[in-house]
């Protein structure tokens, strides 16, 4: 089964470009809303790093999600899109002074703090600005996730978060800091996770940590479990909306939330992944010795995931119903890793055919680059075509 696209409207647009199906985005947001509503104190933030296209941010903001930022630029983008400051959280292992000041000026909901060194600087800058910083400590829970090695973040030896063994010491120090207010704890174990058992393992670890906190009379109001829910890259048409029901239910069932606590989520890929498609045109079909190459006008500068993580994206020739043929689908960049897929079957391709690279809404446009002096791909939402 192939996706349906307004091909006649694509004719006048310069390729490559991202096409976002906002009807699907809204349906996804509505499912999130419906599932979250079942639990009183669950709050979802959208991880802006997945896609900061202003048109999408606007929709996501309208749907009532908060924003999870990892840079000053993302805080600006979130504010511009209309996310209220009290719904913005800010994480990252290397926050610059100007970024911390920006967060303080805006009065964001909280900083997710990743080290004692960072905490000391936030204390100093908040004191200079005569304000108090709300913080969650990002704890490295040492929970492995069954996903690609480059995108797991929750294991012990990792640049992210504060090691479990250092946690109590950092909390004690934070309590003594005059311009720091500890609101809670933050976790994130990785991305593209489809095994609910991984999230369950995180819940169990947090339950242990909660007991430890109570033994020390430390009050935690916010627990932020990060993001990570994956999407079905193999079946973007059949499974266009991730299983949010199972995801939130997993936390509701396994995490022992205290009556006064709020549970925060930071979902990126699961929100925008399936609504985005990279649309390219076939430039040439090149006959190799043993292979055929479909050379398209999009490259790793537009979508780097296959080159960087060997990530799979379903590829369709949406201009043709001709019999299937086998191709390596490659881009024009001067790098041998500029390959979208090897030996895949698509409808026989000819110059000018539109090629759809699916499930590219998350970490696609956001990770595009100017390498080879290429232009950044534009993003269009369905209703503006
Ligand atoms: N919260 C934190 C602290 C994170 O580090 C991330 C993603 C998220 C939330 C959102 O995770 P999501 O729900 O999207 O899985 N570029 C890679 C993914 C990198 C993810 C980085 N952190 C890719 O293309 O697969």
């Amino acid at each position: 089964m192939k996706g349906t696209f307004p091909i006649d409207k694509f004719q006048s647009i310069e390729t490559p470009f991202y096409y976002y199906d906002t009807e699907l985005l809204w349906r996804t947001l509505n499912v999130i809303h419906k599932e979250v509503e079942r639990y009183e104190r669950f709050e979802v933030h959208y991880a802006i790093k997945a896609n900061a296209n202003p048109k999408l941010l606007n929709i996501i903001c309208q749907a009532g999600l908060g924003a999870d930022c990892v840079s000053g630029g993302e805080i600006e983008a979130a504010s511009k899109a209309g996310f209220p400051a009290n719904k913005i959280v800010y994480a990252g292992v290397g926050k610059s002074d100007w970024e911390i000041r920006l967060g303080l000026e805006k009065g964001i909901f909280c900083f997710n703090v990743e080290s004692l060194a960072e905490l000391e600087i936030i204390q100093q800058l908040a004191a200079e600005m005569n304000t108090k910083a709300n913080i969650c400590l990002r704890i490295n829970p040492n929970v492995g996730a069954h996903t690609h090695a480059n995108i797991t973040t929750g294991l012990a030896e990792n640049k992210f978060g504060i090691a479990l063994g250092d946690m109590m010491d950092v909390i004690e120090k934070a309590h003594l800091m005059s311009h720091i207010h500890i609101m809670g704890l933050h976790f994130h174990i990785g991305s593209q996770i489809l095994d609910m058992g991984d999230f369950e393992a995180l819940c169990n670890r947090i339950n242990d940590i909660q007991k430890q906190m109570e033994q020390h009379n430390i009050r935690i109001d916010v627990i932020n479990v990060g993001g990570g829910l994956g999407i079905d890259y193999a079946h973007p048409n059949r499974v266009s909306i991730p299983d949010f029901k199972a995801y939130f239910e997993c936390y509701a069932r396994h995490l022992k939330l205290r009556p006064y606590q709020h549970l925060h989520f930071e979902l990126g890929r699961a929100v925008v992944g399936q609504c985005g498609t990279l649309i390219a045109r076939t430039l040439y079909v090149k006959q190799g010795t043993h292979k055929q190459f479909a050379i398209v006008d999009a490259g790793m500068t537009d979508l780097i995931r296959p080159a960087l993580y060997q990530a799979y994206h379903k590829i369709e020739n949406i201009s043709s119903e001709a019999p299937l043929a086998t191709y390596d689908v490659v881009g024009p960049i001067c790098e041998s890793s500029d390959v979208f897929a090897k030996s895949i079957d698509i409808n026989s391709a000819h110059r000018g055919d539109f090629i759809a690279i699916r499930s590219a809404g998350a970490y696609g446009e956001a990770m595009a680059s100017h390498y080879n002096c290429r232009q950044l791909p534009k993003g269009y939402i369905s209703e503006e075509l």
Side-chain angles (χ1 to χ4, degrees):
M1 179 170 123
K2 281 202 286 193
T4 43
F5 294 94
I7 294 185
D8 43 327
K9 293 187 178 152
F10 289 174
Q11 299 295 344
S12 56
I13 306 175
E14 203 175 311
T15 49
F17 63 90
Y18 277 91
Y19 170 72
Y20 299 107
D21 175 353
T22 50
E23 192 261 336
L24 175 58
L25 176 59
W26 270 115
R27 272 196 288 131
T28 307
L29 291 164
N30 288 339
V31 171
I32 294 174
H33 182 74
K34 188 182 106 205
E35 294 304 328
V36 165
E37 218 180 28
R38 298 167 55 203
Y39 310 103
E40 247 173 61
R41 296 180 314 278
F42 283 20
E43 286 166 42
V44 179
H45 294 85
Y46 166 63
I48 292 200
K49 65 172 85 63
N51 193 324
N53 183 306
K55 297 165 205 168
L56 301 190
L57 290 187
N58 247 301
I59 294 176
I60 295 166
C61 174
Q62 279 176 49
L65 270 60
D68 162 37
C69 302
V70 287
S71 69
E74 286 192 357
I75 296 176
E76 299 281 20
S79 301
K80 214 166 164 188
F83 289 93
N86 65 5
K87 279 188 168 187
I88 295 178
V89 299
Y90 173 28
V93 293
K95 301 180 184 78
S96 301
D97 294 13
W98 75 266
E99 295 178 303
I100 296 171
R101 285 199 194 97
L102 179 69
L104 290 170
E105 263 161 33
K106 297 229 179 242
I108 60 170
F109 180 77
C110 84
F111 292 83
N112 292 328
V113 174
E114 310 229 7
S115 64
L116 180 58
E118 178 195 333
L119 189 64
E120 284 164 350
I121 295 301
I122 296 180
Q123 152 73 11
Q124 186 193 318
L125 296 177
E128 279 168 24
M129 291 170 67
N130 203 15
T131 183
K132 208 157 185 170
N134 291 325
I135 63 127
C136 283
L137 290 179
R138 176 165 179 183
I139 307 301
N140 185 338
N142 200 11
V143 171
H146 298 95
T147 181
H148 195 287
N150 286 0
I151 50 179
T152 59
T153 48
L155 278 173
E157 205 48 11
N158 209 304
K159 74 172 177 177
F160 299 103
I162 294 163
L164 270 177
D166 299 333
M167 179 179 68
M168 292 315 290
D169 180 51
V170 177
I171 291 178
E172 270 168 31
K173 292 196 165 106
H175 274 303
L176 298 175
M177 294 183 183
S178 51
H179 292 74
I180 295 288
H181 171 230
I182 304 191
M183 304 181 87
L185 300 177
H186 174 232
F187 305 87
H188 175 75
I189 54 172
S191 200
Q192 185 50 22
I193 298 170
L194 291 166
D195 181 348
M196 293 302 130
D198 290 339
F199 297 120
E200 186 181 334
L202 174 62
C203 291
N204 293 336
R205 180 56 48 85
I206 297 175
N207 290 339
D208 293 342
I209 293 175
Q210 290 253 68
K211 278 188 214 145
Q212 210 180 336
M213 293 293 138
E214 281 165 354
Q215 279 159 10
H216 288 81
N217 284 322
I218 296 166
R219 184 181 160 110
I220 297 297
D221 288 322
V222 173
I223 294 179
N224 182 333
V225 288
L229 177 62
I231 61 172
D232 191 338
Y233 281 98
H235 306 102
N237 302 312
R238 192 154 51 75
V239 192
S240 58
I241 300 182
D243 194 350
F244 290 107
K245 183 176 194 304
Y247 175 73
F248 292 118
E249 242 170 40
C250 175
Y251 280 100
R253 190 170 298 156
H254 299 289
L255 189 71
K256 299 198 178 88
L257 210 58
R258 310 299 189 249
Y260 52 88
Q261 290 180 327
H262 285 251
L263 186 59
H264 288 193
F265 299 86
E266 299 169 343
L267 293 171
R269 188 188 318 263
V271 180
V272 291
Q274 295 290 36
C275 77
T277 302
L278 177 60
I279 303 289
R281 274 194 198 255
T282 309
L283 290 172
Y284 308 104
V285 175
K286 176 172 167 178
Q287 193 62 55
T289 324
H290 303 292
K291 294 174 165 227
Q292 266 193 122
F293 296 93
I295 302 173
V296 299
D297 60 4
M300 61 192 282
T301 51
D302 306 295
L303 176 66
I304 201 174
R305 303 192 69 257
L308 192 57
Y309 314 119
Q310 290 75 52
Y312 172 82
H313 286 262
K314 188 177 167 70
I315 297 180
E316 297 166 343
N317 179 351
I318 54 173
S319 294
S320 165
E321 290 302 328
L324 297 179
T326 307
Y327 301 92
D328 280 14
V329 178
V330 302
I333 312 297
C334 300
E335 291 271 348
S336 39
S337 58
D338 185 28
V339 174
F340 288 117
K342 287 191 174 158
S343 295
I344 56 152
D345 290 342
I346 55 175
N347 298 99
S348 178
H350 298 92
R351 178 172 171 82
D353 284 358
F354 284 117
I355 301 294
I357 306 177
R358 306 292 307 277
S359 312
Y363 308 108
E365 191 180 349
M367 293 177 80
S369 79
H370 282 295
Y371 183 43
N372 283 191
C373 287
R374 282 169 61 87
Q375 281 181 11
L376 292 179
K378 292 206 171 79
Y380 297 94
I381 55 175
S382 33
E383 61 257 43
E384 71 182 320
L385 293 187

